[in-house]
């Protein structure tokens, strides 16, 4: 067997190893498609923040950068949504104009955005795996890095939706690849290119969501020299301001929003102006620890190992070890700040970024073991441990996916029952939607939510188009008792001559909600009486559809039936078809 034949066999084995790098990206991609199919139309499941990004994406696709929603700020997702909208319209561009087509088929456009998000994450995972494999020669290390998006426990609750959390993994994946490359590099100095890459990763991460603020610790800790640290931090800020241009154009409003998040102890700048409720924070952090005990233990091990390494190694004698310790300290500081931020204003999604540092922690621990115990046996043991981690990570996804998808399927099927019942409504009828839920059988409900986030300068533009596309649609918000019309308001008086049939959707079939909604529609006029007919009551989620008749109080000398006594029937199936 000659040398060239042996070399060919080595390349063949290496190529077969690379095939393993397809596993997690394909797993993520197929699971994302699976949830997209289960969730069907995005408006059935959730309007917040899905239709917030629908709004900003449409605004940008129409050429308006000063969007109303800059809270996250979420700019990369806004850019992506706008680009996908334009590409989809490029395929569909017939008949109605761009805006009318998007507003006529909002769920189609959003579903395409979600599919692109799944493709983007899968591509990022594959690219990261290939990059780490080139730098380390270890397929198990490369696959561990690919698990970054899979580690947060709420991943499968958001994968079928449109939210900035779905791309939070991208900057952390890029950071992990960058730091692994620097750790394995013979040159520990940071070049201008290194500083630019690190600053771009940091600025990009902050532009997705400010929960990635702890990324700022990495330029501060790993870049040597205070001058270079300052330059990298300033470049990070510059990249953020450039990428998050919609927020930059409204910097004063954005700054007030950030200030309130810090000063007030409640969510979204609410609560008392005491910065933090210490008792509440302590309880929230305990809950985080209970939810993720394995990650807490792994972080604790890194802290102990880093302290020991810092105490025993010297920078001049062990520059690689010292650089790795700085990386570890940056990770620990970032996780600590993530925990404090999530403890201040707790929601499961706020702790997502911290858990994504898990693969980087594992890499740093393995590098420390390799340095202390350099042998083939240790290397084999580490490969075995990494393989166990990969199997454990993959296997723990299955029951969560099964449970989550079954819960979503039950919710979506229930909403579809109501939607199918509403399909019998006559074209051109009045539809009153009374709900404050996260989703609805009616896409018009999601579009009402969309218009609430439109810039004031564009609200009349969208109201005009929606009034034409969805005539007779009325939304009643039970939270603030507001009625929202597109176009001309509905007049319940007999003198108006409006004889269109009127249907009412209740998010919950409650007499209080019915009375509250009709009181707002009739403007509490005593001269109008109502006859209601229950057409459908959803046995799963309590939604209800009514046919509503309005009468003057004494049309012919006799009083019409009142709302409390006029219900003609109750049924859990559609009637009158």
């Amino acid at each position: 067997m000659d040398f060239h034949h042996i070399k060919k066999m080595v390349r063949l084995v290496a190529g077969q190893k690379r095939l393993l790098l397809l596993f997690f990206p394909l797993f993520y991609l197929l699971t994302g498609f699976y949830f997209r199919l289960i969730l069907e139309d995005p408006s059935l499941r959730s309007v917040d923040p899905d239709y917030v990004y629908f709004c900003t994406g449409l605004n940008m696709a129409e050429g308006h950068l000063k969007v109303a929603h800059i809270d996250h700020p979420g700019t990369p997702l806004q850019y992506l949504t706008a680009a996908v909208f334009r590409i989809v319209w490029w395929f569909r561009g017939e008949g109605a104009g761009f805006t009318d087509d998007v507003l006529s088929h909002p769920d189609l456009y959003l579903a395409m955005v979600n599919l692109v998000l799944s493709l983007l994450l899968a591509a990022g995972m594959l690219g990261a795996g290939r990059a780490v494999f080139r730098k380390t020669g270890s397929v198990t290390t490369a696959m561990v890095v690919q698990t970054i998006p899979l580690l947060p426990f709420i991943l499968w609750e958001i994968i079928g939706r449109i939210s900035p959390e779905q791309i939070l993994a991208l900057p952390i994946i890029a950071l992990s690849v960058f730091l692994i490359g620097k750790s394995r590099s013979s040159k520990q100095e940071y070049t201008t290119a290194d500083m630019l890459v690190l600053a771009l990763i940091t600025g990009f991460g902050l532009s997705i969501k400010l929960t990635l603020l702890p990324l700022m610790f990495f330029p501060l800790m790993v870049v040597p020299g205070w001058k270079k640290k300052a330059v990298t931090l300033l470049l990070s800020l510059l990249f953020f301001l450039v990428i998050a241009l919609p927020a930059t154009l409204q910097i004063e409003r954005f700054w007030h929003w950030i200030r309130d998040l810090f000063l007030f102890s409640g969510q979204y700048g609410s609560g008392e102006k005491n910065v933090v409720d210490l008792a509440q924070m302590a309880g929230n952090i305990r809950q985080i620890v209970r939810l993720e005990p394995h990650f807490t233990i792994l972080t604790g091990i890194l802290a102990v190992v880093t302290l020991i390494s810092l105490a025993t190694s010297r920078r001049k004698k062990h520059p690689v070890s010292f650089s790795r310790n700085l990386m570890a300290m940056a990770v620990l500081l970032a996780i600590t700040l993530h925990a404090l931020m999530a403890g201040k204003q707790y929601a499961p999604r706020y702790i997502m970024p911290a858990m994504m540092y898990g693969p980087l922690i594992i890499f740093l621990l393995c590098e420390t073991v390799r340095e202390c115990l350099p042998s083939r046996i240790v290397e084999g043991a580490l490969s075995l441990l990494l393989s166990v981690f990969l199997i454990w990570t993959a296997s723990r996804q299955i029951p969560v996916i099964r449970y989550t998808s079954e819960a979503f399927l039950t919710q979506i099927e229930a909403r579809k029952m109501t939607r199918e019942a509403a399909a019998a409504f006559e074209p051109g009828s009045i539809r009153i939607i009374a709900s404050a839920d996260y989703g609805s059988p009616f896409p018009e409900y999601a579009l009402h939510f969309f218009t609430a986030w439109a810039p004031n300068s564009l609200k009349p533009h969208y109201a005009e188009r929606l009034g034409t596309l969805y005539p007779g649609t009325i939304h009643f918000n039970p939270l603030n008792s507001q009625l929202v019309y597109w176009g001309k308001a509905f007049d319940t008086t007999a003198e108006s001559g409006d004889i269109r049939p009127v249907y009412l959707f209740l998010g919950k079939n409650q007499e209080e909600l019915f009375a509250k909604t009709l009181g707002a529609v009739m403007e509490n006029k005593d001269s109008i009486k109502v006859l209601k007919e229950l057409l459908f009551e959803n046995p799963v989620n309590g939604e209800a559809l009514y046919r509503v008749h309005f009468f003057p109080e004494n049309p012919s000398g006799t009083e019409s039936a009142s709302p409390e006594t006029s219900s003609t029937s109750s049924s859990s199936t559609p009637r009158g078809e």
Side-chain angles (χ1 to χ4, degrees):
M1 185 179 292
D2 58 17
F3 172 76
H4 293 291
H5 188 64
I6 295 173
K7 190 175 181 181
K8 186 177 180 181
M9 290 183 64
V10 170
R11 287 179 178 175
L12 180 63
V13 171
Q16 290 175 336
K17 281 185 176 181
R18 287 192 184 95
L19 289 176
L20 291 172
L21 299 179
L22 292 172
F23 176 76
F24 282 115
L26 285 176
F27 177 82
Y28 184 93
L29 185 63
L30 293 175
T31 309
F33 288 173
Y34 168 66
F35 273 94
R36 180 67 267 136
L37 290 172
I38 285 177
L39 292 172
E40 297 196 22
D41 294 337
S43 61
L44 288 170
R45 163 70 178 145
S46 179
V47 298
D48 185 9
D50 309 60
Y51 269 81
V52 176
Y53 283 92
F54 175 90
C55 178
T56 54
L58 179 56
N59 297 161
M60 288 187 177
E62 292 180 309
H64 304 280
L65 277 177
K66 291 187 72 172
V67 297
H69 186 269
I70 54 174
D71 298 359
H72 293 148
T75 317
L77 182 54
Q78 294 169 346
Y79 293 151
L80 178 68
T81 303
V84 171
F85 280 12
R86 278 296 177 181
I87 292 170
V88 173
W89 163 245
W90 184 60
F91 287 110
R92 291 175 53 83
E94 294 182 2
F98 170 69
T99 302
D100 278 11
D101 195 65
V102 175
L103 296 178
S104 298
H105 307 92
D107 285 321
L108 168 66
Y109 279 84
L110 272 188
M112 290 303 299
V113 174
N114 178 256
L115 292 176
V116 171
L117 286 173
S118 295
L119 284 167
L120 185 63
L121 260 294
M125 293 166 72
L126 180 60
R130 291 170 63 88
V132 173
F133 182 72
R134 284 196 304 269
K135 296 175 186 298
T136 65
S138 168
V139 70
T140 51
T141 301
M143 291 181 72
V144 166
V145 172
Q146 289 181 322
T147 66
I148 287 175
L150 305 178
L151 297 180
F153 55 88
I154 67 164
L155 165 68
W156 306 119
E157 295 182 19
I158 62 173
I159 192 171
R161 296 174 55 193
I162 294 86
S163 69
E165 281 77 14
Q166 287 169 271
I167 55 174
L168 282 181
L170 290 177
I172 297 180
I173 289 173
L175 177 69
S176 300
V177 172
F178 174 79
L179 293 179
I180 288 171
K182 291 301 295 181
S183 179
R184 285 297 179 96
S185 174
S186 58
K187 297 179 180 179
Q188 293 302 304
E189 285 297 318
Y190 274 69
T191 64
T192 301
D194 291 331
M195 293 162 60
L196 284 170
V197 169
L198 187 55
L200 180 59
I201 292 170
T202 305
F204 173 65
L206 289 173
S207 71
I208 296 173
K209 200 163 186 182
L210 289 176
T211 48
L212 287 178
L213 180 65
L215 285 175
M216 299 292 282
F217 280 121
F218 289 91
L220 184 63
M221 295 300 299
V222 304
V223 177
W226 287 108
K227 184 178 178 180
K228 286 188 174 182
K229 291 179 192 293
V231 170
T232 309
L233 287 170
L234 287 174
L235 285 172
S236 301
L237 180 60
L238 178 62
F239 279 125
F240 166 74
L241 293 174
V242 171
I243 296 172
L245 186 57
T248 305
L249 294 173
Q250 305 170 76
I251 194 67
E252 185 177 357
R253 182 163 75 88
F254 184 67
W255 165 249
H256 288 158
W257 163 251
I258 303 306
R259 180 197 61 190
D260 289 347
L261 287 178
F262 175 76
L263 292 178
F264 293 87
S265 58
Q267 285 193 334
Y268 311 125
S270 63
E272 296 184 20
K273 196 174 181 179
N274 57 354
V275 181
V276 63
D277 184 327
L278 292 177
Q280 185 180 46
M281 172 181 278
N284 290 337
I285 291 176
R286 284 195 296 270
Q287 183 175 353
I288 292 169
V289 171
R290 285 196 299 269
L291 286 171
E292 284 296 328
H294 302 98
F295 179 75
T296 304
I297 293 170
L298 186 66
T299 304
I301 292 172
L302 179 67
V304 172
V305 170
T306 302
L307 288 173
I308 294 173
S309 181
L310 284 170
T312 56
S313 64
R314 295 292 181 269
R315 180 173 185 173
K316 291 183 179 180
K317 292 184 178 180
H318 306 281
V320 175
S321 176
F322 186 80
S323 176
R324 188 171 59 248
N325 287 335
L326 291 178
M327 293 179 189
M329 289 173 63
V331 171
L332 292 169
L333 287 171
I335 292 172
T336 301
L337 183 54
H338 278 301
L340 292 174
M341 290 167 64
K344 170 179 164 64
Q345 299 171 352
Y346 179 71
R349 61 185 180 276
Y350 294 160
I351 200 63
M352 281 182 68
M355 291 181 282
M356 293 181 187
Y357 292 114
L360 186 56
I361 293 176
I362 291 172
F363 171 79
L364 293 172
L365 289 173
C366 288
E367 290 294 279
T368 302
V369 172
R370 289 188 181 100
E371 184 180 62
C372 296
L373 302 169
S375 71
R376 289 186 176 181
I377 295 176
V378 170
E379 190 64 41
L382 289 175
S383 295
L384 179 61
L385 287 173
L386 292 180
S387 300
V388 170
F389 170 79
L390 292 172
I391 294 170
W392 174 76
T393 300
S395 61
R396 76 192 292 241
Q397 308 299 319
I398 304 303
V400 180
I401 291 171
R402 184 179 296 120
Y403 170 81
T404 306
S405 61
E406 287 175 355
F408 284 166
L409 191 60
T410 300
Q411 182 186 42
I412 297 302
E413 288 300 320
R415 287 252 162 86
K416 286 169 63 181
M417 290 170 60
T418 306
R419 184 170 65 181
E420 289 167 6
F425 294 174
E426 297 91 333
S429 58
I430 301 293
R431 303 182 183 200
I432 305 169
I433 302 170
S435 177
D437 206 344
Y438 271 90
S440 167
F442 300 91
E444 298 95 315
Y445 172 75
L447 290 171
H448 274 293
F449 188 84
F450 142 74
T451 54
W453 282 102
N456 289 331
S457 60
L458 294 178
K459 286 182 188 292
H461 162 61
Y462 291 131
E464 178 188 358
R465 300 315 312 143
L466 290 167
T468 302
L469 296 170
Y470 302 96
T473 302
I474 303 170
H475 175 229
F476 175 73
N477 187 343
L479 299 180
N480 58 17
S481 299
Q482 282 190 343
L483 280 175
V484 180
Y485 296 87
W486 294 324
K488 185 180 179 181
F490 172 57
D491 190 348
T492 58
T493 61
E495 292 79 8
S496 70
D498 195 337
I499 59 172
R500 289 176 292 175
V502 180
Y503 295 96
L504 170 64
F505 165 75
L506 297 181
K508 294 295 179 185
N509 191 19
Q510 300 168 343
E511 185 61 37
E512 180 183 359
L513 179 57
F514 180 92
K516 193 175 181 181
T517 304
L518 268 295
V521 171
M522 298 185 300
E523 299 176 337
N524 296 308
K525 294 175 181 176
D526 296 333
S527 59
I528 302 172
K529 295 301 180 181
V530 179
L531 175 67
K532 66 178 182 179
E533 179 185 2
L534 178 63
L535 301 178
F536 174 81
E537 183 174 17
N538 196 307
V540 179
N541 58 20
E543 294 173 341
L545 299 172
Y546 283 91
R547 173 76 182 267
V548 183
H549 306 269
F550 296 96
F551 297 98
E553 185 173 7
N554 293 298
S556 57
T558 59
E559 186 174 322
S560 64
S562 67
E564 292 74 22
T565 61
S566 61
S567 180
T568 59
S569 65
S570 295
S571 172
S572 60
T573 57
R575 297 181 64 247
E577 291 142 64

